Amino acid sequence: MTDCPMCTKWNDEPALRIAELEHTYVLLNRDQFFPGYTFVFTKEHVTELFHLPPRVRQGIVEEVTVVAEALYNLLRPAKMNYELLGNMVPHMHWHLVPRFATDPLWPRPIWSEPHGEVILYDGEYAERIALIANHLKP
């Protein structure tokens, strides 16, 4: 789908790539207000889990779980948040957000109030991406 920003995100933001899995891409969110905030999104344009064959659906959920576990093991947050909305960008994608009791919006949802973006230097993105990618490996 040509007008879907998620369909082109992997190619548009190569510096934020963490991993390419069987069914999904894993990309660090540019805004790191919530450290480790990561996207997991389907390679194919799909909007609903029930549109997928059971084997693919199970594979995607397993990949989301593996990424969440890697983030958790690396960052040791108080809680992992999983957001699968699709109202504004109708392409299946998860927002995986490690949450810490020290974050300014704790324990409210990340969308509860606006916040300034935290933009890292290129080297900081690369370092964070490498740490997450290393935790994804068996």
Side-chain angles (χ1 to χ4, degrees):
M1 179 175 237
T2 57
D3 60 345
C4 172
M6 289 311 270
C7 284
T8 61
K9 196 167 187 66
W10 184 254
N11 291 326
D12 293 345
E13 301 192 55
L16 298 176
R17 292 177 184 173
I18 297 171
E20 179 177 354
L21 305 176
E22 182 181 355
H23 303 288
T24 61
Y25 294 119
V26 183
L27 202 75
L28 192 67
N29 186 23
R30 184 165 300 285
D31 177 7
Q32 285 291 291
F33 181 85
F34 299 100
Y37 185 157
T38 297
F39 294 111
V40 179
F41 55 101
T42 55
K43 291 179 176 181
E44 302 298 322
H45 184 83
V46 63
T47 60
E48 306 296 340
L49 280 168
F50 57 81
H51 290 162
L52 298 165
R55 187 193 73 73
V56 174
R57 180 174 54 239
Q58 291 163 359
I60 290 169
V61 171
E62 182 61 25
E63 289 176 16
V64 169
T65 303
V66 164
V67 175
E69 184 176 24
L71 290 168
Y72 182 85
N73 288 338
L74 173 64
L75 300 170
R76 297 295 181 194
K79 177 71 176 85
M80 281 299 304
N81 283 186
Y82 304 75
E83 298 272 350
L84 172 61
L85 303 170
N87 300 336
M88 294 179 65
V89 179
H91 180 129
M92 191 177 304
H93 65 285
W94 280 259
H95 300 251
L96 297 183
V97 187
R99 296 297 305 276
F100 301 88
T102 55
D103 87 44
L105 299 182
W106 179 263
R108 295 172 290 148
I110 65 169
W111 320 106
S112 64
E113 65 182 75
H115 62 269
E117 288 186 331
V118 173
I119 304 299
L120 306 177
Y121 294 106
D122 290 346
E124 292 173 303
Y125 284 113
E127 182 179 303
R128 194 163 290 180
I129 287 165
L131 287 170
I132 296 168
N134 285 338
H135 277 77
L136 279 173
K137 295 179 181 172

